Amino acid sequence: MRVLVAGATGAMGKELVPRLVDAGHEVFAMIRSESNKARAAQLGAVPVIADALDRAQVEAAVRQAAPEVIVHQLTAIGHIDTRHFDRSFAATDRLRIEGTDNLLAAARAAGVRRFVAQSNGAFTYTRTGGPVKTEQDPLDRAPVSQMAAMIAAIEHLEKAVLGAAWTEGIVLRYGAFYGPGTSMAPGSEQLEMIRKRKFPVVGDGGGVWSFVHIADAAEATVAAVENGGRGVYNIVDDDPAPVAEWLPELAAMLGAKKPVRVPRFIGRLAAGQAGVVLMTELRGASNAKAKRELGWHPTHPTWRQGFQMVP
């Protein structure tokens, strides 16, 4: 198939594009500037240039590629400052709203038959009820103020993609990425904070995280491109775990001392409301639907195994 990947040179794109090429697909990479042409070509894709926030440019790029499938992986997430969570996600929020609308408009005009989009299943589920959520559970209806814009952008993306009756809209709610090119890669700022005991366990550390290795997430995306049906899929590993469990284990793997523990009010002063939510209130996600319907099984079924490669 002819597949256009928007966001082809990011951490996910670098894993995804070569896999699509190896699977026999003709892949086009939507990139923003000429400077990324060589990088896209090295991945095995044909570069097409467009700023995702410019609808005319996006429509021209999609016409040029004439894809059967579009994969929307547009993000602009750098270091996440939990004290200013909304600022950290502002550029990505815009891509998830305006960029999504532009890609969908271009896809409709070009007759694209399948549209696969990146969503977030790591930080977005309702913080009430059981510790592990399925695709049927709602996103957070009462987010803290710092996280409200991010969740609203996710909701916009999902509603737009799933509501596009003219194409097969697929939403992939990825867990927290780790592995090459992510915020939890060897030498990353986040791992260095853990190594230096600057990443404490806040409160009871009861926030449940669902992780996924970036390579496993890419494999799931290929499965969605080839076999997915309309709907939402959690793309996470088999082992959701509270912060109080995974953070000390990761610190030990890094050769660091156990993380310090601080009460919630201290955590709020240091990491803001969002930081406290991430540490104490998150819910994990189930991958049962993705396994059942996409035939996908993570090669790193637990972060306990996958983290061994991180240090």
Side-chain angles (χ1 to χ4, degrees), residues 4-10 13 17 27-43 45-54 57-58 61-62 64-65 71 74 103:
L4 174 67
V5 179
T9 57
V17 170
V27 183
F28 296 80
M30 195 179 89
I31 55 176
R32 191 167 63 176
S33 64
E34 293 277 347
S35 61
N36 283 328
K37 268 189 169 182
R39 190 181 309 173
Q42 287 172 354
L43 294 172
V46 177
V48 290
I49 297 175
D51 182 338
L53 300 178
D54 186 313
Q57 289 185 25
V58 172
V62 172
Q64 180 183 342
V71 183
L74 294 167
L103 280 170

PDB file of all heavy atoms in Angstrom, residues 4-10 13 17 27-43 45-54 57-58 61-62 64-65 71 74 103:
ATOM      1  N   LEU A   4       1.338   7.374   3.805  1.00  0.00           N
ATOM      2  CA  LEU A   4       1.952   8.650   4.148  1.00  0.00           C
ATOM      3  C   LEU A   4       2.052   8.751   5.661  1.00  0.00           C
ATOM      4  O   LEU A   4       1.053   8.606   6.370  1.00  0.00           O
ATOM      5  CB  LEU A   4       1.111   9.811   3.623  1.00  0.00           C
ATOM      6  CG  LEU A   4       1.572  11.219   4.045  1.00  0.00           C
ATOM      7  CD1 LEU A   4       2.922  11.563   3.420  1.00  0.00           C
ATOM      8  CD2 LEU A   4       0.522  12.271   3.690  1.00  0.00           C
ATOM      9  N   VAL A   5       3.278   8.984   6.168  1.00  0.00           N
ATOM     10  CA  VAL A   5       3.497   9.145   7.601  1.00  0.00           C
ATOM     11  C   VAL A   5       3.793  10.612   7.888  1.00  0.00           C
ATOM     12  O   VAL A   5       4.782  11.167   7.391  1.00  0.00           O
ATOM     13  CB  VAL A   5       4.662   8.262   8.093  1.00  0.00           C
ATOM     14  CG1 VAL A   5       4.879   8.478   9.592  1.00  0.00           C
ATOM     15  CG2 VAL A   5       4.380   6.792   7.804  1.00  0.00           C
ATOM     16  N   ALA A   6       2.938  11.246   8.663  1.00  0.00           N
ATOM     17  CA  ALA A   6       3.175  12.616   9.121  1.00  0.00           C
ATOM     18  C   ALA A   6       3.851  12.525  10.485  1.00  0.00           C
ATOM     19  O   ALA A   6       3.327  11.889  11.397  1.00  0.00           O
ATOM     20  CB  ALA A   6       1.860  13.381   9.220  1.00  0.00           C
ATOM     21  N   GLY A   7       5.010  13.149  10.592  1.00  0.00           N
ATOM     22  CA  GLY A   7       5.813  12.991  11.802  1.00  0.00           C
ATOM     23  C   GLY A   7       6.794  11.845  11.642  1.00  0.00           C
ATOM     24  O   GLY A   7       7.093  11.119  12.589  1.00  0.00           O
ATOM     25  N   ALA A   8       7.311  11.702  10.441  1.00  0.00           N
ATOM     26  CA  ALA A   8       8.110  10.518  10.099  1.00  0.00           C
ATOM     27  C   ALA A   8       9.525  10.548  10.637  1.00  0.00           C
ATOM     28  O   ALA A   8      10.193   9.511  10.643  1.00  0.00           O
ATOM     29  CB  ALA A   8       8.166  10.357   8.579  1.00  0.00           C
ATOM     30  N   THR A   9      10.005  11.702  11.092  1.00  0.00           N
ATOM     31  CA  THR A   9      11.393  11.764  11.550  1.00  0.00           C
ATOM     32  C   THR A   9      11.509  11.880  13.065  1.00  0.00           C
ATOM     33  O   THR A   9      12.589  12.094  13.591  1.00  0.00           O
ATOM     34  CB  THR A   9      12.136  12.943  10.886  1.00  0.00           C
ATOM     35  OG1 THR A   9      11.437  14.158  11.157  1.00  0.00           O
ATOM     36  CG2 THR A   9      12.224  12.738   9.383  1.00  0.00           C
ATOM     37  N   GLY A  10      10.396  11.728  13.781  1.00  0.00           N
ATOM     38  CA  GLY A  10      10.424  11.722  15.233  1.00  0.00           C
ATOM     39  C   GLY A  10      10.791  10.356  15.770  1.00  0.00           C
ATOM     40  O   GLY A  10      11.117   9.432  15.012  1.00  0.00           O
ATOM     41  N   GLY A  13       8.484   7.789  14.277  1.00  0.00           N
ATOM     42  CA  GLY A  13       8.692   7.667  12.838  1.00  0.00           C
ATOM     43  C   GLY A  13       9.943   6.899  12.477  1.00  0.00           C
ATOM     44  O   GLY A  13       9.952   6.099  11.533  1.00  0.00           O
ATOM     45  N   VAL A  17       8.757   3.904  10.071  1.00  0.00           N
ATOM     46  CA  VAL A  17       8.958   3.949   8.611  1.00  0.00           C
ATOM     47  C   VAL A  17       9.743   2.743   8.102  1.00  0.00           C
ATOM     48  O   VAL A  17       9.311   2.090   7.132  1.00  0.00           O
ATOM     49  CB  VAL A  17       9.617   5.283   8.197  1.00  0.00           C
ATOM     50  CG1 VAL A  17      10.050   5.232   6.732  1.00  0.00           C
ATOM     51  CG2 VAL A  17       8.645   6.437   8.420  1.00  0.00           C
ATOM     52  N   VAL A  27       6.291   4.062   1.138  1.00  0.00           N
ATOM     53  CA  VAL A  27       6.110   5.003   2.233  1.00  0.00           C
ATOM     54  C   VAL A  27       6.543   6.407   1.830  1.00  0.00           C
ATOM     55  O   VAL A  27       7.621   6.602   1.255  1.00  0.00           O
ATOM     56  CB  VAL A  27       6.906   4.555   3.479  1.00  0.00           C
ATOM     57  CG1 VAL A  27       6.655   5.505   4.638  1.00  0.00           C
ATOM     58  CG2 VAL A  27       6.509   3.129   3.878  1.00  0.00           C
ATOM     59  N   PHE A  28       5.702   7.360   2.169  1.00  0.00           N
ATOM     60  CA  PHE A  28       5.994   8.778   1.957  1.00  0.00           C
ATOM     61  C   PHE A  28       6.073   9.444   3.328  1.00  0.00           C
ATOM     62  O   PHE A  28       5.266   9.156   4.216  1.00  0.00           O
ATOM     63  CB  PHE A  28       4.898   9.440   1.110  1.00  0.00           C
ATOM     64  CG  PHE A  28       4.800   8.884  -0.281  1.00  0.00           C
ATOM     65  CD1 PHE A  28       4.127   7.684  -0.511  1.00  0.00           C
ATOM     66  CD2 PHE A  28       5.392   9.531  -1.342  1.00  0.00           C
ATOM     67  CE1 PHE A  28       4.048   7.148  -1.785  1.00  0.00           C
ATOM     68  CE2 PHE A  28       5.317   9.007  -2.629  1.00  0.00           C
ATOM     69  CZ  PHE A  28       4.648   7.811  -2.842  1.00  0.00           C
ATOM     70  N   ALA A  29       7.065  10.310   3.498  1.00  0.00           N
ATOM     71  CA  ALA A  29       7.273  10.986   4.775  1.00  0.00           C
ATOM     72  C   ALA A  29       6.932  12.458   4.614  1.00  0.00           C
ATOM     73  O   ALA A  29       7.568  13.161   3.824  1.00  0.00           O
ATOM     74  CB  ALA A  29       8.725  10.831   5.222  1.00  0.00           C
ATOM     75  N   MET A  30       5.935  12.932   5.339  1.00  0.00           N
ATOM     76  CA  MET A  30       5.609  14.351   5.314  1.00  0.00           C
ATOM     77  C   MET A  30       6.530  15.070   6.288  1.00  0.00           C
ATOM     78  O   MET A  30       6.478  14.838   7.502  1.00  0.00           O
ATOM     79  CB  MET A  30       4.147  14.596   5.688  1.00  0.00           C
ATOM     80  CG  MET A  30       3.681  15.996   5.330  1.00  0.00           C
ATOM     81  SD  MET A  30       1.940  16.302   5.750  1.00  0.00           S
ATOM     82  CE  MET A  30       2.116  16.884   7.439  1.00  0.00           C
ATOM     83  N   ILE A  31       7.388  15.920   5.759  1.00  0.00           N
ATOM     84  CA  ILE A  31       8.367  16.639   6.564  1.00  0.00           C
ATOM     85  C   ILE A  31       8.173  18.137   6.372  1.00  0.00           C
ATOM     86  O   ILE A  31       7.614  18.584   5.362  1.00  0.00           O
ATOM     87  CB  ILE A  31       9.809  16.239   6.175  1.00  0.00           C
ATOM     88  CG1 ILE A  31      10.037  16.452   4.683  1.00  0.00           C
ATOM     89  CG2 ILE A  31      10.075  14.788   6.561  1.00  0.00           C
ATOM     90  CD1 ILE A  31      11.447  16.187   4.223  1.00  0.00           C
ATOM     91  N   ARG A  32       8.645  18.910   7.347  1.00  0.00           N
ATOM     92  CA  ARG A  32       8.373  20.341   7.321  1.00  0.00           C
ATOM     93  C   ARG A  32       9.379  21.138   6.511  1.00  0.00           C
ATOM     94  O   ARG A  32       9.065  22.228   6.027  1.00  0.00           O
ATOM     95  CB  ARG A  32       8.312  20.884   8.757  1.00  0.00           C
ATOM     96  CG  ARG A  32       7.775  22.296   8.846  1.00  0.00           C
ATOM     97  CD  ARG A  32       7.424  22.681  10.254  1.00  0.00           C
ATOM     98  NE  ARG A  32       8.592  22.674  11.138  1.00  0.00           N
ATOM     99  CZ  ARG A  32       8.558  23.049  12.412  1.00  0.00           C
ATOM    100  NH1 ARG A  32       7.414  23.438  12.945  1.00  0.00           N
ATOM    101  NH2 ARG A  32       9.650  23.016  13.146  1.00  0.00           N
ATOM    102  N   SER A  33      10.609  20.626   6.357  1.00  0.00           N
ATOM    103  CA  SER A  33      11.630  21.429   5.689  1.00  0.00           C
ATOM    104  C   SER A  33      12.556  20.571   4.837  1.00  0.00           C
ATOM    105  O   SER A  33      12.642  19.351   5.009  1.00  0.00           O
ATOM    106  CB  SER A  33      12.470  22.189   6.723  1.00  0.00           C
ATOM    107  OG  SER A  33      13.185  21.274   7.535  1.00  0.00           O
ATOM    108  N   GLU A  34      13.237  21.227   3.945  1.00  0.00           N
ATOM    109  CA  GLU A  34      14.201  20.561   3.060  1.00  0.00           C
ATOM    110  C   GLU A  34      15.306  19.872   3.851  1.00  0.00           C
ATOM    111  O   GLU A  34      15.838  18.846   3.429  1.00  0.00           O
ATOM    112  CB  GLU A  34      14.838  21.601   2.118  1.00  0.00           C
ATOM    113  CG  GLU A  34      13.888  22.215   1.101  1.00  0.00           C
ATOM    114  CD  GLU A  34      13.703  21.339  -0.121  1.00  0.00           C
ATOM    115  OE1 GLU A  34      14.497  20.391  -0.287  1.00  0.00           O
ATOM    116  OE2 GLU A  34      12.787  21.617  -0.914  1.00  0.00           O
ATOM    117  N   SER A  35      15.627  20.415   5.028  1.00  0.00           N
ATOM    118  CA  SER A  35      16.735  19.872   5.812  1.00  0.00           C
ATOM    119  C   SER A  35      16.474  18.449   6.282  1.00  0.00           C
ATOM    120  O   SER A  35      17.413  17.735   6.638  1.00  0.00           O
ATOM    121  CB  SER A  35      17.013  20.775   7.020  1.00  0.00           C
ATOM    122  OG  SER A  35      15.879  20.840   7.869  1.00  0.00           O
ATOM    123  N   ASN A  36      15.212  18.033   6.296  1.00  0.00           N
ATOM    124  CA  ASN A  36      14.883  16.680   6.743  1.00  0.00           C
ATOM    125  C   ASN A  36      14.767  15.677   5.595  1.00  0.00           C
ATOM    126  O   ASN A  36      14.474  14.506   5.845  1.00  0.00           O
ATOM    127  CB  ASN A  36      13.564  16.685   7.530  1.00  0.00           C
ATOM    128  CG  ASN A  36      13.736  17.212   8.939  1.00  0.00           C
ATOM    129  OD1 ASN A  36      14.785  17.029   9.550  1.00  0.00           O
ATOM    130  ND2 ASN A  36      12.721  17.879   9.451  1.00  0.00           N
ATOM    131  N   LYS A  37      14.999  16.136   4.381  1.00  0.00           N
ATOM    132  CA  LYS A  37      14.853  15.237   3.227  1.00  0.00           C
ATOM    133  C   LYS A  37      15.786  14.033   3.319  1.00  0.00           C
ATOM    134  O   LYS A  37      15.370  12.889   3.104  1.00  0.00           O
ATOM    135  CB  LYS A  37      15.132  15.996   1.921  1.00  0.00           C
ATOM    136  CG  LYS A  37      13.904  16.596   1.272  1.00  0.00           C
ATOM    137  CD  LYS A  37      14.252  17.127  -0.116  1.00  0.00           C
ATOM    138  CE  LYS A  37      12.999  17.497  -0.889  1.00  0.00           C
ATOM    139  NZ  LYS A  37      13.335  17.964  -2.261  1.00  0.00           N
ATOM    140  N   ALA A  38      17.034  14.295   3.619  1.00  0.00           N
ATOM    141  CA  ALA A  38      18.009  13.203   3.672  1.00  0.00           C
ATOM    142  C   ALA A  38      17.660  12.217   4.758  1.00  0.00           C
ATOM    143  O   ALA A  38      17.775  11.003   4.576  1.00  0.00           O
ATOM    144  CB  ALA A  38      19.413  13.766   3.891  1.00  0.00           C
ATOM    145  N   ARG A  39      17.195  12.724   5.903  1.00  0.00           N
ATOM    146  CA  ARG A  39      16.837  11.842   7.008  1.00  0.00           C
ATOM    147  C   ARG A  39      15.662  10.939   6.625  1.00  0.00           C
ATOM    148  O   ARG A  39      15.663   9.743   6.893  1.00  0.00           O
ATOM    149  CB  ARG A  39      16.470  12.679   8.232  1.00  0.00           C
ATOM    150  CG  ARG A  39      16.316  11.870   9.510  1.00  0.00           C
ATOM    151  CD  ARG A  39      15.920  12.742  10.692  1.00  0.00           C
ATOM    152  NE  ARG A  39      16.788  13.906  10.838  1.00  0.00           N
ATOM    153  CZ  ARG A  39      16.578  14.878  11.705  1.00  0.00           C
ATOM    154  NH1 ARG A  39      15.524  14.838  12.498  1.00  0.00           N
ATOM    155  NH2 ARG A  39      17.416  15.896  11.784  1.00  0.00           N
ATOM    156  N   ALA A  40      14.667  11.509   5.952  1.00  0.00           N
ATOM    157  CA  ALA A  40      13.518  10.711   5.524  1.00  0.00           C
ATOM    158  C   ALA A  40      13.938   9.649   4.513  1.00  0.00           C
ATOM    159  O   ALA A  40      13.493   8.500   4.571  1.00  0.00           O
ATOM    160  CB  ALA A  40      12.447  11.616   4.926  1.00  0.00           C
ATOM    161  N   ALA A  41      14.816  10.042   3.587  1.00  0.00           N
ATOM    162  CA  ALA A  41      15.279   9.096   2.572  1.00  0.00           C
ATOM    163  C   ALA A  41      16.072   7.957   3.199  1.00  0.00           C
ATOM    164  O   ALA A  41      15.960   6.799   2.782  1.00  0.00           O
ATOM    165  CB  ALA A  41      16.121   9.826   1.531  1.00  0.00           C
ATOM    166  N   GLN A  42      16.873   8.270   4.220  1.00  0.00           N
ATOM    167  CA  GLN A  42      17.646   7.227   4.904  1.00  0.00           C
ATOM    168  C   GLN A  42      16.733   6.198   5.564  1.00  0.00           C
ATOM    169  O   GLN A  42      17.084   5.020   5.691  1.00  0.00           O
ATOM    170  CB  GLN A  42      18.564   7.857   5.954  1.00  0.00           C
ATOM    171  CG  GLN A  42      19.747   8.599   5.363  1.00  0.00           C
ATOM    172  CD  GLN A  42      20.536   9.371   6.413  1.00  0.00           C
ATOM    173  OE1 GLN A  42      20.136   9.451   7.586  1.00  0.00           O
ATOM    174  NE2 GLN A  42      21.659   9.951   6.009  1.00  0.00           N
ATOM    175  N   LEU A  43      15.561   6.641   5.979  1.00  0.00           N
ATOM    176  CA  LEU A  43      14.601   5.725   6.598  1.00  0.00           C
ATOM    177  C   LEU A  43      13.885   4.854   5.555  1.00  0.00           C
ATOM    178  O   LEU A  43      13.209   3.897   5.911  1.00  0.00           O
ATOM    179  CB  LEU A  43      13.557   6.518   7.397  1.00  0.00           C
ATOM    180  CG  LEU A  43      14.071   7.275   8.621  1.00  0.00           C
ATOM    181  CD1 LEU A  43      12.965   8.172   9.194  1.00  0.00           C
ATOM    182  CD2 LEU A  43      14.569   6.309   9.698  1.00  0.00           C
ATOM    183  N   ALA A  45      11.860   6.318   3.018  1.00  0.00           N
ATOM    184  CA  ALA A  45      10.631   6.971   2.580  1.00  0.00           C
ATOM    185  C   ALA A  45      10.904   8.006   1.496  1.00  0.00           C
ATOM    186  O   ALA A  45      12.010   8.534   1.378  1.00  0.00           O
ATOM    187  CB  ALA A  45       9.952   7.650   3.765  1.00  0.00           C
ATOM    188  N   VAL A  46       9.866   8.309   0.736  1.00  0.00           N
ATOM    189  CA  VAL A  46       9.911   9.390  -0.243  1.00  0.00           C
ATOM    190  C   VAL A  46       9.456  10.665   0.467  1.00  0.00           C
ATOM    191  O   VAL A  46       8.323  10.722   0.969  1.00  0.00           O
ATOM    192  CB  VAL A  46       8.982   9.104  -1.432  1.00  0.00           C
ATOM    193  CG1 VAL A  46       8.997  10.276  -2.413  1.00  0.00           C
ATOM    194  CG2 VAL A  46       9.370   7.803  -2.112  1.00  0.00           C
ATOM    195  N   PRO A  47      10.295  11.690   0.562  1.00  0.00           N
ATOM    196  CA  PRO A  47       9.894  12.891   1.303  1.00  0.00           C
ATOM    197  C   PRO A  47       8.930  13.775   0.517  1.00  0.00           C
ATOM    198  O   PRO A  47       9.071  13.963  -0.691  1.00  0.00           O
ATOM    199  CB  PRO A  47      11.223  13.612   1.540  1.00  0.00           C
ATOM    200  CG  PRO A  47      12.134  13.130   0.465  1.00  0.00           C
ATOM    201  CD  PRO A  47      11.703  11.749   0.109  1.00  0.00           C
ATOM    202  N   VAL A  48       7.938  14.296   1.221  1.00  0.00           N
ATOM    203  CA  VAL A  48       7.048  15.328   0.683  1.00  0.00           C
ATOM    204  C   VAL A  48       7.007  16.434   1.729  1.00  0.00           C
ATOM    205  O   VAL A  48       6.894  16.161   2.927  1.00  0.00           O
ATOM    206  CB  VAL A  48       5.639  14.798   0.374  1.00  0.00           C
ATOM    207  CG1 VAL A  48       5.668  13.862  -0.811  1.00  0.00           C
ATOM    208  CG2 VAL A  48       5.020  14.102   1.575  1.00  0.00           C
ATOM    209  N   ILE A  49       7.130  17.675   1.306  1.00  0.00           N
ATOM    210  CA  ILE A  49       7.305  18.786   2.240  1.00  0.00           C
ATOM    211  C   ILE A  49       5.987  19.505   2.497  1.00  0.00           C
ATOM    212  O   ILE A  49       5.275  19.875   1.554  1.00  0.00           O
ATOM    213  CB  ILE A  49       8.356  19.770   1.712  1.00  0.00           C
ATOM    214  CG1 ILE A  49       9.717  19.071   1.607  1.00  0.00           C
ATOM    215  CG2 ILE A  49       8.471  20.990   2.630  1.00  0.00           C
ATOM    216  CD1 ILE A  49      10.803  19.910   0.996  1.00  0.00           C
ATOM    217  N   ALA A  50       5.665  19.691   3.788  1.00  0.00           N
ATOM    218  CA  ALA A  50       4.486  20.461   4.172  1.00  0.00           C
ATOM    219  C   ALA A  50       4.572  20.808   5.642  1.00  0.00           C
ATOM    220  O   ALA A  50       5.002  19.997   6.465  1.00  0.00           O
ATOM    221  CB  ALA A  50       3.210  19.670   3.907  1.00  0.00           C
ATOM    222  N   ASP A  51       4.143  22.013   5.966  1.00  0.00           N
ATOM    223  CA  ASP A  51       3.951  22.410   7.359  1.00  0.00           C
ATOM    224  C   ASP A  51       2.563  21.923   7.761  1.00  0.00           C
ATOM    225  O   ASP A  51       1.561  22.299   7.134  1.00  0.00           O
ATOM    226  CB  ASP A  51       4.038  23.934   7.477  1.00  0.00           C
ATOM    227  CG  ASP A  51       3.893  24.439   8.906  1.00  0.00           C
ATOM    228  OD1 ASP A  51       3.330  23.707   9.748  1.00  0.00           O
ATOM    229  OD2 ASP A  51       4.325  25.569   9.178  1.00  0.00           O
ATOM    230  N   ALA A  52       2.487  21.089   8.778  1.00  0.00           N
ATOM    231  CA  ALA A  52       1.213  20.486   9.171  1.00  0.00           C
ATOM    232  C   ALA A  52       0.162  21.520   9.546  1.00  0.00           C
ATOM    233  O   ALA A  52      -1.038  21.220   9.513  1.00  0.00           O
ATOM    234  CB  ALA A  52       1.432  19.528  10.339  1.00  0.00           C
ATOM    235  N   LEU A  53       0.588  22.740   9.894  1.00  0.00           N
ATOM    236  CA  LEU A  53      -0.350  23.783  10.289  1.00  0.00           C
ATOM    237  C   LEU A  53      -0.794  24.650   9.120  1.00  0.00           C
ATOM    238  O   LEU A  53      -1.577  25.593   9.299  1.00  0.00           O
ATOM    239  CB  LEU A  53       0.272  24.652  11.386  1.00  0.00           C
ATOM    240  CG  LEU A  53       0.660  23.898  12.663  1.00  0.00           C
ATOM    241  CD1 LEU A  53       1.317  24.836  13.663  1.00  0.00           C
ATOM    242  CD2 LEU A  53      -0.548  23.212  13.289  1.00  0.00           C
ATOM    243  N   ASP A  54      -0.313  24.321   7.924  1.00  0.00           N
ATOM    244  CA  ASP A  54      -0.697  25.050   6.702  1.00  0.00           C
ATOM    245  C   ASP A  54      -1.555  24.114   5.853  1.00  0.00           C
ATOM    246  O   ASP A  54      -1.035  23.194   5.221  1.00  0.00           O
ATOM    247  CB  ASP A  54       0.555  25.487   5.944  1.00  0.00           C
ATOM    248  CG  ASP A  54       0.253  26.368   4.737  1.00  0.00           C
ATOM    249  OD1 ASP A  54      -0.655  26.012   3.959  1.00  0.00           O
ATOM    250  OD2 ASP A  54       0.943  27.383   4.552  1.00  0.00           O
ATOM    251  N   GLN A  57      -0.585  23.541   2.127  1.00  0.00           N
ATOM    252  CA  GLN A  57       0.617  22.727   1.967  1.00  0.00           C
ATOM    253  C   GLN A  57       0.323  21.254   2.238  1.00  0.00           C
ATOM    254  O   GLN A  57       0.819  20.368   1.534  1.00  0.00           O
ATOM    255  CB  GLN A  57       1.721  23.219   2.906  1.00  0.00           C
ATOM    256  CG  GLN A  57       2.325  24.553   2.523  1.00  0.00           C
ATOM    257  CD  GLN A  57       3.501  24.930   3.413  1.00  0.00           C
ATOM    258  OE1 GLN A  57       4.159  24.063   3.998  1.00  0.00           O
ATOM    259  NE2 GLN A  57       3.787  26.225   3.500  1.00  0.00           N
ATOM    260  N   VAL A  58      -0.480  20.984   3.260  1.00  0.00           N
ATOM    261  CA  VAL A  58      -0.818  19.603   3.586  1.00  0.00           C
ATOM    262  C   VAL A  58      -1.607  18.974   2.437  1.00  0.00           C
ATOM    263  O   VAL A  58      -1.342  17.828   2.026  1.00  0.00           O
ATOM    264  CB  VAL A  58      -1.612  19.524   4.903  1.00  0.00           C
ATOM    265  CG1 VAL A  58      -2.127  18.104   5.146  1.00  0.00           C
ATOM    266  CG2 VAL A  58      -0.745  19.965   6.072  1.00  0.00           C
ATOM    267  N   ALA A  61       0.745  18.111  -0.369  1.00  0.00           N
ATOM    268  CA  ALA A  61       1.584  16.950  -0.064  1.00  0.00           C
ATOM    269  C   ALA A  61       0.800  15.652  -0.188  1.00  0.00           C
ATOM    270  O   ALA A  61       1.307  14.646  -0.704  1.00  0.00           O
ATOM    271  CB  ALA A  61       2.161  17.086   1.349  1.00  0.00           C
ATOM    272  N   VAL A  62      -0.433  15.657   0.293  1.00  0.00           N
ATOM    273  CA  VAL A  62      -1.254  14.447   0.205  1.00  0.00           C
ATOM    274  C   VAL A  62      -1.605  14.140  -1.252  1.00  0.00           C
ATOM    275  O   VAL A  62      -1.592  12.978  -1.668  1.00  0.00           O
ATOM    276  CB  VAL A  62      -2.516  14.587   1.080  1.00  0.00           C
ATOM    277  CG1 VAL A  62      -3.476  13.420   0.854  1.00  0.00           C
ATOM    278  CG2 VAL A  62      -2.125  14.655   2.559  1.00  0.00           C
ATOM    279  N   GLN A  64       0.257  14.797  -3.770  1.00  0.00           N
ATOM    280  CA  GLN A  64       1.498  14.278  -4.359  1.00  0.00           C
ATOM    281  C   GLN A  64       1.723  12.816  -3.987  1.00  0.00           C
ATOM    282  O   GLN A  64       2.094  12.000  -4.839  1.00  0.00           O
ATOM    283  CB  GLN A  64       2.680  15.124  -3.886  1.00  0.00           C
ATOM    284  CG  GLN A  64       4.033  14.667  -4.437  1.00  0.00           C
ATOM    285  CD  GLN A  64       5.193  15.495  -3.885  1.00  0.00           C
ATOM    286  OE1 GLN A  64       4.993  16.605  -3.364  1.00  0.00           O
ATOM    287  NE2 GLN A  64       6.400  14.976  -3.987  1.00  0.00           N
ATOM    288  N   ALA A  65       1.484  12.479  -2.732  1.00  0.00           N
ATOM    289  CA  ALA A  65       1.732  11.111  -2.278  1.00  0.00           C
ATOM    290  C   ALA A  65       0.631  10.145  -2.700  1.00  0.00           C
ATOM    291  O   ALA A  65       0.878   8.952  -2.878  1.00  0.00           O
ATOM    292  CB  ALA A  65       1.877  11.097  -0.758  1.00  0.00           C
ATOM    293  N   VAL A  71      -0.829   7.965   8.322  1.00  0.00           N
ATOM    294  CA  VAL A  71      -0.499   7.727   9.728  1.00  0.00           C
ATOM    295  C   VAL A  71      -0.072   9.062  10.340  1.00  0.00           C
ATOM    296  O   VAL A  71       0.927   9.646   9.925  1.00  0.00           O
ATOM    297  CB  VAL A  71       0.626   6.685   9.891  1.00  0.00           C
ATOM    298  CG1 VAL A  71       0.882   6.423  11.375  1.00  0.00           C
ATOM    299  CG2 VAL A  71       0.272   5.389   9.180  1.00  0.00           C
ATOM    300  N   LEU A  74       2.175  13.266  14.454  1.00  0.00           N
ATOM    301  CA  LEU A  74       2.693  14.607  14.691  1.00  0.00           C
ATOM    302  C   LEU A  74       2.680  14.965  16.178  1.00  0.00           C
ATOM    303  O   LEU A  74       1.628  14.996  16.810  1.00  0.00           O
ATOM    304  CB  LEU A  74       1.851  15.633  13.927  1.00  0.00           C
ATOM    305  CG  LEU A  74       1.916  15.561  12.404  1.00  0.00           C
ATOM    306  CD1 LEU A  74       0.803  16.411  11.797  1.00  0.00           C
ATOM    307  CD2 LEU A  74       3.277  16.020  11.896  1.00  0.00           C
ATOM    308  N   LEU A 103      -4.930  17.349   8.126  1.00  0.00           N
ATOM    309  CA  LEU A 103      -4.680  16.034   7.527  1.00  0.00           C
ATOM    310  C   LEU A 103      -5.978  15.351   7.124  1.00  0.00           C
ATOM    311  O   LEU A 103      -6.063  14.725   6.055  1.00  0.00           O
ATOM    312  CB  LEU A 103      -3.909  15.153   8.512  1.00  0.00           C
ATOM    313  CG  LEU A 103      -2.409  15.370   8.607  1.00  0.00           C
ATOM    314  CD1 LEU A 103      -1.836  14.592   9.801  1.00  0.00           C
ATOM    315  CD2 LEU A 103      -1.704  14.917   7.315  1.00  0.00           C
TER     316      LEU A 103
END
